[in-house]
């Protein structure tokens, strides 16, 4: 397991960390994924698709996601698809899961309850 | 880069009449309101939750329609739902349409012509000068609907606005649309702004049906 680089989004309450585990690049997103954090999230996911072919986005520490946050996830998944990467969103808590259910994100993204590794 | 509002108007424009062509006339006002909302979201002026809208930045974006709506929103901090603002901006449909047409003329995509019919009625027309932007919009709609790829956020917005205003018939055959109903439904549900537009349209339809029923 490698040390986890951490990116703090200064303007909002979001934190992104990444680590390699069993062939997967785990991107852990905690706090709030809103418009202020969306660009940092999108850039982190895009960069991840250039580092690994298997990406898991761990949302177990995410408290809130707005439409801008959802778009960032969508763009990240799109970048992964373009580069033939496996991309899975994992562990959303109830509030975030409700947003996924209302928007039907499960029809577009692969969403799992637990991390694949 | 054209705004979502400009792309919608471009797609809906009947060059002969200079009016927006839509098989669902009442819905076009809601669709234009939704398009402006998407432009504000793309410009990072607003963010939305499942129902609510948050104003992030009131600095003008440089687009007249967006800036008008932004200024209206800044005056009313008590109005916080996406649906309420869609209903509000729907009333400015004609202004939004005119502003978008002016923008398309300024970009050299359309030409503005006026003539007089029967010596008294002024008639406006907007002939196409450069058809490429409209073809690009149509192509993006076709590709987004017919493929199973993960869509770009802006294309999701465009599909939902085109569906709401009944414009998808202009880009795909009925058979193709029938075969891709599930994909269209998924795309139209992804954004809270689209959901508010469709909810407003559904409610309007119910009111109209109810009014028709009670009139018999």
């Amino acid at each position: 397991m490698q040390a986890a680089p951490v990116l703090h989004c200064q303007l909002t309450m979001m934190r992104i960390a990444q680590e390699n585990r069993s062939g997967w690049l785990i991107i852990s997103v905690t706090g709030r994924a809103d418009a202020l954090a969306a660009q940092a999230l999108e850039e982190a996911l895009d960069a991840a698709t250039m580092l690994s072919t298997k990406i898991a986005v761990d949302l177990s520490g995410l408290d809130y996601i707005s439409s801008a946050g959802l778009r960032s996830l969508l763009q990240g998944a799109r970048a992964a698809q373009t580069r033939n990467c496996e991309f899975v969103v994992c562990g959303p808590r109830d509030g975030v899961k409700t947003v996924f259910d209302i928007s039907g994100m499960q029809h577009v993204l692969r969403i799992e309850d637990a991390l694949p590794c | 880069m054209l705004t979502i509002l400009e792309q919608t108007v471009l797609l809906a424009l009947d060059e002969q009449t200079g009016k927006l062509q839509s098989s669902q006339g009442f819905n076009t006002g809601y669709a234009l309101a939704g398009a402006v909302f998407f432009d504000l979201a793309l410009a990072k002026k607003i963010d939305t939750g499942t129902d609510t809208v948050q104003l992030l930045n009131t600095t003008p974006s440089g687009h007249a329609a967006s800036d008008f709506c932004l200024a209206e929103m800044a005056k009313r901090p008590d109005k916080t739902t996406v649906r309420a603002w869609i209903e509000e901006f729907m009333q400015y449909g004609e202004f939004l349409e005119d502003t978008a047409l002016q923008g398309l003329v300024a970009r050299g995509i359309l030409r503005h012509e006026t003539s007089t019919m029967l010596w008294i009625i002024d008639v406006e027309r907007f002939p196409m000068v450069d058809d490429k932007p409209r073809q690009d919009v149509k192509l993006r709609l076709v590709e987004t609907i017919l493929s199973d790829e993960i869509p770009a956020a802006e294309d999701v917005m465009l599909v939902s606005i085109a569906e709401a205003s009944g414009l998808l018939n202009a880009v795909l055959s009925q058979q193709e649309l029938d075969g891709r109903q599930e994909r269209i439904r998924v795309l139209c549900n992804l954004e809270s702004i689209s959901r508010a537009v469709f909810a407003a349209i559904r409610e309007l339809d119910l009111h109209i049906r109810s009014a028709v029923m009670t009139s018999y």
Side-chain angles (χ1 to χ4, degrees):
Chain A
M1 189 185 295
Q2 291 183 357
V6 176
L7 169 71
H8 290 275
C9 185
Q10 297 295 328
L11 297 173
T12 188
M13 303 291 287
M14 187 187 73
R15 186 170 173 268
I16 301 172
Q18 66 179 54
E19 64 176 290
N20 285 296
R21 197 189 303 165
S22 306
W24 285 82
L25 179 58
I26 313 285
I27 308 288
S28 301
V29 188
T30 55
R32 291 173 61 87
D34 54 19
L36 297 174
Q39 191 169 347
L41 178 57
E42 192 175 325
E43 286 170 3
L45 296 177
D46 187 60
T49 64
M50 290 190 267
L51 296 173
S52 174
T53 56
K54 292 166 89 173
I55 296 151
V57 185
D58 180 3
L59 299 186
S60 59
L62 192 68
D63 301 317
Y64 171 80
I65 189 161
S66 72
S67 295
L70 289 176
R71 282 182 216 120
S72 298
L73 278 182
L74 203 61
Q75 293 298 94
R78 191 171 148 80
Q81 189 171 58
T82 304
R83 295 180 182 125
N84 290 318
C85 300
E86 208 171 333
F87 187 96
V88 56
V89 173
C90 310
R93 296 207 299 230
D94 284 350
V96 172
K97 205 171 179 190
T98 300
V99 176
F100 285 165
D101 288 343
I102 291 171
S103 59
M105 286 295 273
Q106 72 276 14
H107 297 296
V108 184
L109 301 181
R110 183 178 152 201
I111 302 171
E112 305 285 352
D113 288 335
L115 284 167
C117 55
Chain B
M1 184 74 182
L2 298 180
T3 63
I4 299 286
L5 177 65
E6 287 169 337
Q7 291 176 65
T8 306
V9 168
L10 194 56
L11 194 65
L13 186 70
D14 181 328
E15 287 181 67
Q16 298 305 314
T17 63
K19 302 280 184 195
L20 298 195
Q21 54 179 348
S22 167
S23 60
Q24 300 164 38
F26 275 116
N27 301 0
T28 305
Y30 285 118
L32 295 181
V36 172
F37 240 72
F38 279 134
D39 284 326
L40 291 172
L42 287 172
K44 301 190 190 325
K45 303 296 181 187
I46 60 167
D47 195 9
T48 53
T50 49
D51 300 308
T52 56
V53 57
Q54 186 189 2
L55 192 55
L56 300 172
N57 176 353
T58 55
T59 317
S61 65
H63 295 289
S66 297
D67 292 342
F68 168 79
C69 295
L70 205 52
E72 290 299 305
M73 291 179 77
K75 288 182 207 163
R76 294 287 306 276
D78 56 310
K79 209 174 210 178
T80 55
T81 67
V82 180
R83 175 70 187 276
W85 280 112
I86 293 289
E87 296 283 358
E88 174 85 16
F89 292 147
M90 184 269 187
Q91 299 169 45
Y92 298 104
E94 203 170 323
F95 165 77
L96 299 178
E97 179 187 331
D98 287 345
T99 308
L101 285 169
Q102 285 167 24
L104 292 165
V105 170
R107 289 171 190 270
I109 296 167
L110 302 177
R111 187 174 65 243
H112 185 199
E113 288 180 357
T114 51
S115 58
T116 306
M117 196 167 70
L118 301 175
W119 301 282
I120 48 169
I121 305 166
D122 286 333
V123 178
E124 280 189 304
R125 284 184 69 241
F126 291 89
M128 196 74 67
V129 176
D130 177 5
D131 194 38
K132 188 174 180 306
R134 175 145 81 167
Q135 292 307 324
D136 287 346
V137 170
K138 286 183 175 181
L139 185 62
R140 279 170 44 218
L141 283 171
V142 169
E143 287 177 348
T144 306
I145 292 169
L146 294 185
S147 88
D148 289 317
E149 305 277 293
I150 295 171
E154 197 177 314
D155 294 340
V156 170
M157 298 172 179
L158 199 57
V159 168
S160 63
I161 294 298
E163 167 70 350
S165 46
L167 292 168
L168 289 179
N169 295 331
V171 292
L172 287 165
S173 70
Q174 193 55 52
Q175 191 181 1
E176 287 170 317
L177 289 173
D178 289 345
R180 299 299 288 175
Q181 273 308 301
E182 180 59 18
R183 170 76 167 177
I184 293 167
R185 191 193 61 75
V186 165
L187 295 175
C188 290
N189 195 53
L190 281 174
E191 288 277 355
S192 59
I193 294 169
S194 316
R195 292 196 299 273
V197 167
F198 283 105
I201 289 171
R202 268 196 306 273
E203 196 165 300
L204 181 69
D205 281 345
L206 280 175
H207 281 305
I208 292 170
R209 280 170 206 267
S210 164
V212 169
M213 292 295 283
T214 51
S215 71
Y216 280 105

